[in-house]
Structures are given as C-alpha cells and as structure tokens.
Amino acid sequence: MNPFVEGAFESKFLTGDAYRSLNAHAGFFSRMLPSLSFYSRLFLGPVRWLCSLAAKGQCDDAAWVYASVWVSDLIERMGCPIEVQGMDAIDAVDGPCLFVANHMSTLETFMLPGIIRPRRPVTFVVKKSLTTMPFFGPVMCSRDPIVVGRSNPREDLTAVLQGGLERLEKGVSIIVFPQHTRSRRFDPQQFNSIGVKLAKKAGVPIVPLALKTDAWGQGKKIKELGPVSVGMAVRYCFAQPIAITGQGKEEQAAICNHIASHLGRWEELDGIEA
C-alpha cells in the first residue's frame, strides 16, 4: 500500500493532473506582519518537527512529504493560492527520470517533495551550503542529495554525473535546477545543460518544470529568508517527458521554451489579477 495515500493531508496533491487552492486566505496577523507570521509558523512547525526527526535518524520519506505539504498549507494560509498543472507527467515515466526546472526561491525546495514523492522516489541536486545550514542541513542530508560546490563547474558536472547515475540506477528520480542562482527572471543563457547531459548519459527522460514561487522572496543577508508576499499566486507546470536524442540541443531548447513561455503567461495573468 502507498503510505502517502492513507491520510488526506499527505495526499494534498494527489488530485489527478491538476491542483488548485480552494481556500487560500490570510488572517489579520498574516496581513499585518506577513514575514513574521510565516517564518514563526514555519520554524515552530514543520522545520522544528522535521529537524527533530532528522536528529534521531527518523526523517524518512513519509515525514518529508508530510512536512512539505505542511509548508504548502502555511503558504495558502498567507493567502497565496497554489496552482499545479501537468502532474500526470510525473506518472508518465516508467522508471526514474530527471525533473529540470528554473529556480526562483526556497519555496520550491520545500514544496516539490510533497508533489512528486507521493508518486515516485526523488531527491535533489543541491549546493553544499544547504547541507551545512542550521535547521535545513540535517534534513537535506537525510535525503541523500547530490551535492555540488557551485565554484568549479567541471567538478560539479562530475559530481552530478556520478552521483546522478548512482541514484537513477537505484530508481530514484532527481530534481535539477540548472541556473547558477535563484532568480525571478529566466535567462536561457544562464540555464546550463547539466540536466540534459545527465539524462543522456543515464538514458532516462526529462520532465521539464516551470515554476513561479516568488511569493517567498530572497533575503538580502540570508537568501533563504526573504520577505513573504501575501496573496501572490504560486504556480507549477510539468511538461510531458522528453527523451534525449543526438546532442540534446533541441531538448535543451524545448525545456527553456516551456519555462519561458509559462513565466511570461503567468506574469501577464498575475498582472491582470492584481
């Protein structure tokens, strides 16, 4: 039996091809002091709970999903509606795959496990600093991520190819953010082809993922702890899996086009809604 379908809370995103918030409403405290409201609930809730489990060696996949969905619930309580499209693509692959996405904020790192892991085993490619941070570090390490330094591209490529092959051979899919850093703006020139290279070497498909998560902004001193915007929509869209043929240039272009087109559409939509 799938352990993630037993409880309604953990099954939040097991809603077929799409999910859309039915009741995203911010209370008085959240409207007046949004960042204080969100971070106090985040650190006293899912972060503290998951870190306590990680310290005991009990941070398993079920706990990871529960905490991830908990964070999604907190975002909705900030009045930020969540929309996820194309989730059928997660199930469309027979075997492991790569999810290749743009990287906008810390929020997708928290939310994606609750969306993807109930359907298939998954881990991340993460920068080394995330594995050594207080609170986040022990949890991230418990997920057996692929760790990169982000200072030497050649070393990072080797780490991703070697570590990626090991995990894919175990049936674990991988989430890759090929951008050099988090950004609200998508620049295809800064979106490297490391995901395509790994997929080609491993012989696995890629599921492109466009996301808009700037409701959780970037901090000036600590990037992971930026301002939280009440009422801003959070959006994800998975594309159907694509197989890598040839050198992968066409597939890289298709991934970039999927991301760029959705970001442009969402900006227009959110501008109209605003």
Side-chain angles (χ1 to χ4, degrees), residues 193 195-197 200 206 242-255:
S193 59
V196 170
K197 288 184 174 70
K200 177 179 173 62
I206 282 177
I242 55 176
I244 307 301
T245 59
Q247 296 301 311
K249 292 183 178 180
E250 292 183 2
E251 291 80 6
Q252 176 75 359
I255 296 167

PDB file of all heavy atoms in Angstrom, residues 193 195-197 200 206 242-255:
ATOM      1  N   SER A 193      23.170  23.063 -19.323  1.00  0.00           N
ATOM      2  CA  SER A 193      22.618  21.811 -19.848  1.00  0.00           C
ATOM      3  C   SER A 193      23.004  20.594 -19.008  1.00  0.00           C
ATOM      4  O   SER A 193      22.997  19.471 -19.506  1.00  0.00           O
ATOM      5  CB  SER A 193      23.090  21.602 -21.295  1.00  0.00           C
ATOM      6  OG  SER A 193      24.508  21.553 -21.356  1.00  0.00           O
ATOM      7  N   GLY A 195      21.403  19.014 -16.751  1.00  0.00           N
ATOM      8  CA  GLY A 195      20.317  18.039 -16.685  1.00  0.00           C
ATOM      9  C   GLY A 195      20.245  17.191 -17.944  1.00  0.00           C
ATOM     10  O   GLY A 195      20.055  15.965 -17.884  1.00  0.00           O
ATOM     11  N   VAL A 196      20.401  17.839 -19.092  1.00  0.00           N
ATOM     12  CA  VAL A 196      20.375  17.123 -20.372  1.00  0.00           C
ATOM     13  C   VAL A 196      21.554  16.155 -20.461  1.00  0.00           C
ATOM     14  O   VAL A 196      21.407  15.012 -20.921  1.00  0.00           O
ATOM     15  CB  VAL A 196      20.393  18.123 -21.546  1.00  0.00           C
ATOM     16  CG1 VAL A 196      20.610  17.398 -22.865  1.00  0.00           C
ATOM     17  CG2 VAL A 196      19.088  18.913 -21.581  1.00  0.00           C
ATOM     18  N   LYS A 197      22.717  16.597 -20.012  1.00  0.00           N
ATOM     19  CA  LYS A 197      23.916  15.733 -20.055  1.00  0.00           C
ATOM     20  C   LYS A 197      23.711  14.476 -19.211  1.00  0.00           C
ATOM     21  O   LYS A 197      24.050  13.364 -19.628  1.00  0.00           O
ATOM     22  CB  LYS A 197      25.136  16.507 -19.575  1.00  0.00           C
ATOM     23  CG  LYS A 197      25.647  17.566 -20.526  1.00  0.00           C
ATOM     24  CD  LYS A 197      26.906  18.209 -19.992  1.00  0.00           C
ATOM     25  CE  LYS A 197      27.534  19.175 -20.995  1.00  0.00           C
ATOM     26  NZ  LYS A 197      26.730  20.385 -21.186  1.00  0.00           N
ATOM     27  N   LYS A 200      21.055  12.138 -20.821  1.00  0.00           N
ATOM     28  CA  LYS A 200      21.617  11.453 -21.989  1.00  0.00           C
ATOM     29  C   LYS A 200      22.528  10.310 -21.550  1.00  0.00           C
ATOM     30  O   LYS A 200      22.447   9.189 -22.076  1.00  0.00           O
ATOM     31  CB  LYS A 200      22.389  12.454 -22.848  1.00  0.00           C
ATOM     32  CG  LYS A 200      23.075  11.840 -24.061  1.00  0.00           C
ATOM     33  CD  LYS A 200      23.782  12.916 -24.865  1.00  0.00           C
ATOM     34  CE  LYS A 200      24.610  12.303 -25.989  1.00  0.00           C
ATOM     35  NZ  LYS A 200      23.771  11.561 -26.957  1.00  0.00           N
ATOM     36  N   ILE A 206      13.530  13.373 -19.424  1.00  0.00           N
ATOM     37  CA  ILE A 206      13.429  14.605 -18.642  1.00  0.00           C
ATOM     38  C   ILE A 206      11.984  15.057 -18.611  1.00  0.00           C
ATOM     39  O   ILE A 206      11.288  15.019 -19.621  1.00  0.00           O
ATOM     40  CB  ILE A 206      14.318  15.711 -19.252  1.00  0.00           C
ATOM     41  CG1 ILE A 206      15.783  15.473 -18.879  1.00  0.00           C
ATOM     42  CG2 ILE A 206      13.876  17.093 -18.777  1.00  0.00           C
ATOM     43  CD1 ILE A 206      16.730  16.484 -19.492  1.00  0.00           C
ATOM     44  N   ILE A 242      10.379  14.055 -22.102  1.00  0.00           N
ATOM     45  CA  ILE A 242      11.052  14.084 -23.390  1.00  0.00           C
ATOM     46  C   ILE A 242      12.324  13.230 -23.301  1.00  0.00           C
ATOM     47  O   ILE A 242      13.028  13.253 -22.294  1.00  0.00           O
ATOM     48  CB  ILE A 242      11.400  15.514 -23.850  1.00  0.00           C
ATOM     49  CG1 ILE A 242      12.232  16.249 -22.783  1.00  0.00           C
ATOM     50  CG2 ILE A 242      10.133  16.289 -24.151  1.00  0.00           C
ATOM     51  CD1 ILE A 242      12.674  17.628 -23.222  1.00  0.00           C
ATOM     52  N   ALA A 243      12.583  12.458 -24.337  1.00  0.00           N
ATOM     53  CA  ALA A 243      13.783  11.633 -24.405  1.00  0.00           C
ATOM     54  C   ALA A 243      14.894  12.423 -25.093  1.00  0.00           C
ATOM     55  O   ALA A 243      14.634  13.246 -25.980  1.00  0.00           O
ATOM     56  CB  ALA A 243      13.502  10.348 -25.169  1.00  0.00           C
ATOM     57  N   ILE A 244      16.124  12.205 -24.667  1.00  0.00           N
ATOM     58  CA  ILE A 244      17.252  12.921 -25.236  1.00  0.00           C
ATOM     59  C   ILE A 244      17.798  12.144 -26.431  1.00  0.00           C
ATOM     60  O   ILE A 244      18.135  10.963 -26.335  1.00  0.00           O
ATOM     61  CB  ILE A 244      18.375  13.110 -24.203  1.00  0.00           C
ATOM     62  CG1 ILE A 244      17.813  13.748 -22.927  1.00  0.00           C
ATOM     63  CG2 ILE A 244      19.499  13.961 -24.790  1.00  0.00           C
ATOM     64  CD1 ILE A 244      17.156  15.086 -23.130  1.00  0.00           C
ATOM     65  N   THR A 245      17.867  12.802 -27.572  1.00  0.00           N
ATOM     66  CA  THR A 245      18.438  12.207 -28.787  1.00  0.00           C
ATOM     67  C   THR A 245      19.538  13.128 -29.296  1.00  0.00           C
ATOM     68  O   THR A 245      19.513  14.339 -29.080  1.00  0.00           O
ATOM     69  CB  THR A 245      17.374  12.031 -29.873  1.00  0.00           C
ATOM     70  OG1 THR A 245      16.809  13.309 -30.185  1.00  0.00           O
ATOM     71  CG2 THR A 245      16.256  11.105 -29.401  1.00  0.00           C
ATOM     72  N   GLY A 246      20.485  12.570 -29.985  1.00  0.00           N
ATOM     73  CA  GLY A 246      21.568  13.391 -30.518  1.00  0.00           C
ATOM     74  C   GLY A 246      22.357  14.051 -29.398  1.00  0.00           C
ATOM     75  O   GLY A 246      22.632  13.467 -28.355  1.00  0.00           O
ATOM     76  N   GLN A 247      22.702  15.317 -29.604  1.00  0.00           N
ATOM     77  CA  GLN A 247      23.481  16.066 -28.625  1.00  0.00           C
ATOM     78  C   GLN A 247      22.626  16.710 -27.542  1.00  0.00           C
ATOM     79  O   GLN A 247      23.138  17.249 -26.568  1.00  0.00           O
ATOM     80  CB  GLN A 247      24.301  17.156 -29.345  1.00  0.00           C
ATOM     81  CG  GLN A 247      25.336  16.604 -30.306  1.00  0.00           C
ATOM     82  CD  GLN A 247      26.345  15.708 -29.623  1.00  0.00           C
ATOM     83  OE1 GLN A 247      26.903  16.063 -28.591  1.00  0.00           O
ATOM     84  NE2 GLN A 247      26.598  14.536 -30.209  1.00  0.00           N
ATOM     85  N   GLY A 248      21.313  16.687 -27.717  1.00  0.00           N
ATOM     86  CA  GLY A 248      20.417  17.228 -26.704  1.00  0.00           C
ATOM     87  C   GLY A 248      20.124  18.706 -26.829  1.00  0.00           C
ATOM     88  O   GLY A 248      19.461  19.280 -25.961  1.00  0.00           O
ATOM     89  N   LYS A 249      20.604  19.351 -27.911  1.00  0.00           N
ATOM     90  CA  LYS A 249      20.382  20.787 -28.062  1.00  0.00           C
ATOM     91  C   LYS A 249      18.902  21.119 -28.245  1.00  0.00           C
ATOM     92  O   LYS A 249      18.405  22.114 -27.697  1.00  0.00           O
ATOM     93  CB  LYS A 249      21.192  21.322 -29.246  1.00  0.00           C
ATOM     94  CG  LYS A 249      22.696  21.280 -29.021  1.00  0.00           C
ATOM     95  CD  LYS A 249      23.444  21.881 -30.202  1.00  0.00           C
ATOM     96  CE  LYS A 249      24.954  21.873 -29.939  1.00  0.00           C
ATOM     97  NZ  LYS A 249      25.712  22.455 -31.077  1.00  0.00           N
ATOM     98  N   GLU A 250      18.211  20.310 -29.026  1.00  0.00           N
ATOM     99  CA  GLU A 250      16.783  20.572 -29.240  1.00  0.00           C
ATOM    100  C   GLU A 250      16.002  20.383 -27.947  1.00  0.00           C
ATOM    101  O   GLU A 250      15.069  21.143 -27.658  1.00  0.00           O
ATOM    102  CB  GLU A 250      16.244  19.649 -30.332  1.00  0.00           C
ATOM    103  CG  GLU A 250      16.798  19.931 -31.717  1.00  0.00           C
ATOM    104  CD  GLU A 250      16.170  19.039 -32.768  1.00  0.00           C
ATOM    105  OE1 GLU A 250      15.277  18.240 -32.413  1.00  0.00           O
ATOM    106  OE2 GLU A 250      16.568  19.158 -33.947  1.00  0.00           O
ATOM    107  N   GLU A 251      16.371  19.378 -27.174  1.00  0.00           N
ATOM    108  CA  GLU A 251      15.677  19.132 -25.907  1.00  0.00           C
ATOM    109  C   GLU A 251      15.950  20.259 -24.911  1.00  0.00           C
ATOM    110  O   GLU A 251      15.053  20.692 -24.190  1.00  0.00           O
ATOM    111  CB  GLU A 251      16.117  17.790 -25.323  1.00  0.00           C
ATOM    112  CG  GLU A 251      15.636  16.577 -26.117  1.00  0.00           C
ATOM    113  CD  GLU A 251      16.469  16.296 -27.350  1.00  0.00           C
ATOM    114  OE1 GLU A 251      17.500  16.972 -27.547  1.00  0.00           O
ATOM    115  OE2 GLU A 251      16.090  15.398 -28.116  1.00  0.00           O
ATOM    116  N   GLN A 252      17.187  20.753 -24.878  1.00  0.00           N
ATOM    117  CA  GLN A 252      17.512  21.881 -24.005  1.00  0.00           C
ATOM    118  C   GLN A 252      16.685  23.104 -24.392  1.00  0.00           C
ATOM    119  O   GLN A 252      16.143  23.818 -23.525  1.00  0.00           O
ATOM    120  CB  GLN A 252      19.007  22.206 -24.102  1.00  0.00           C
ATOM    121  CG  GLN A 252      19.460  23.428 -23.309  1.00  0.00           C
ATOM    122  CD  GLN A 252      19.540  23.200 -21.818  1.00  0.00           C
ATOM    123  OE1 GLN A 252      19.227  22.113 -21.338  1.00  0.00           O
ATOM    124  NE2 GLN A 252      19.936  24.217 -21.079  1.00  0.00           N
ATOM    125  N   ALA A 253      16.543  23.336 -25.684  1.00  0.00           N
ATOM    126  CA  ALA A 253      15.751  24.472 -26.159  1.00  0.00           C
ATOM    127  C   ALA A 253      14.279  24.293 -25.796  1.00  0.00           C
ATOM    128  O   ALA A 253      13.596  25.262 -25.429  1.00  0.00           O
ATOM    129  CB  ALA A 253      15.904  24.626 -27.672  1.00  0.00           C
ATOM    130  N   ALA A 254      13.784  23.050 -25.873  1.00  0.00           N
ATOM    131  CA  ALA A 254      12.380  22.788 -25.530  1.00  0.00           C
ATOM    132  C   ALA A 254      12.129  23.035 -24.047  1.00  0.00           C
ATOM    133  O   ALA A 254      11.078  23.575 -23.667  1.00  0.00           O
ATOM    134  CB  ALA A 254      12.018  21.355 -25.900  1.00  0.00           C
ATOM    135  N   ILE A 255      13.074  22.649 -23.196  1.00  0.00           N
ATOM    136  CA  ILE A 255      12.939  22.892 -21.759  1.00  0.00           C
ATOM    137  C   ILE A 255      12.890  24.395 -21.485  1.00  0.00           C
ATOM    138  O   ILE A 255      12.021  24.885 -20.747  1.00  0.00           O
ATOM    139  CB  ILE A 255      14.115  22.256 -20.993  1.00  0.00           C
ATOM    140  CG1 ILE A 255      14.092  20.737 -21.134  1.00  0.00           C
ATOM    141  CG2 ILE A 255      14.060  22.640 -19.511  1.00  0.00           C
ATOM    142  CD1 ILE A 255      15.379  20.059 -20.680  1.00  0.00           C
TER     143      ILE A 255
END
